[in-house]
Amino acid sequence: MLDGRRVLIVEDEALVALELTEIVTGSNAHAVGPARTNREALALIEFEEIDVAILDLNLADGEATPTAECLIGKGVPVLICTGGVLPRAMRLMWPDLPILRKPLNPERLVEALGALCAEPVGGGRH
């Protein structure tokens, strides 16, 4: 389902980032990152090929809106993984943004990423 896909992981909690990396690599995908901050994520987006992204909402340097904007603007599908609630501004900008609640179920995570990779990307980088 994720064979060979490049999955950006944006998560500031080290243990959760490690778990996400293990799930991604265990699904025969390549983990890009993890990035702890918007700044790190934006640098990775600039220099790495990315097929899909896992994005925590609350990062070490604030809300992940700048990273989400950049990814979505490039046509990269984004999956939000959070224990919180999607901020109102993000709900208004992207009402169909997929969200998984923490704690994560690895099978559901892989299924959600696979579904995002299967969707046609508008204005993507392929």
Side-chain angles (χ1 to χ4, degrees):
M1 191 181 290
L2 294 179
D3 290 348
R5 300 288 185 167
R6 297 182 56 80
V7 182
L8 174 64
I9 298 170
V10 183
E11 170 63 61
D12 65 341
E13 292 184 38
L15 290 177
V16 176
L18 179 61
E19 178 186 16
L20 291 172
T21 301
E22 288 175 357
I23 293 168
V24 166
T25 57
S27 300
N28 298 320
H30 176 74
V32 178
R36 292 186 64 248
T37 63
N38 283 295
R39 181 182 210 159
E40 290 174 10
L42 293 170
L44 286 172
I45 294 165
E46 186 175 337
F47 295 108
E48 296 278 349
E49 184 69 30
I50 298 166
D51 296 308
V52 64
I54 301 169
L55 188 59
D56 182 21
L57 283 180
N58 299 307
L59 302 175
D61 63 350
E63 209 169 83
T65 306
T67 299
E69 265 182 325
C70 183
L71 288 163
I72 292 167
K74 290 179 175 287
V76 176
V78 173
L79 176 63
I80 301 293
C81 292
T82 184
V85 182
L86 196 63
R88 184 174 188 276
M90 288 180 88
R91 281 196 317 268
L92 292 174
M93 282 192 286
W94 308 296
D96 299 324
L97 201 59
I99 302 170
L100 282 183
R101 301 281 176 219
K102 292 177 183 175
L104 297 170
N105 174 307
E107 292 81 22
R108 287 192 59 214
L109 177 65
V110 172
E111 286 172 10
L113 291 171
L116 286 172
C117 289
E119 291 179 7
V121 177
R125 303 174 4 178
H126 304 283

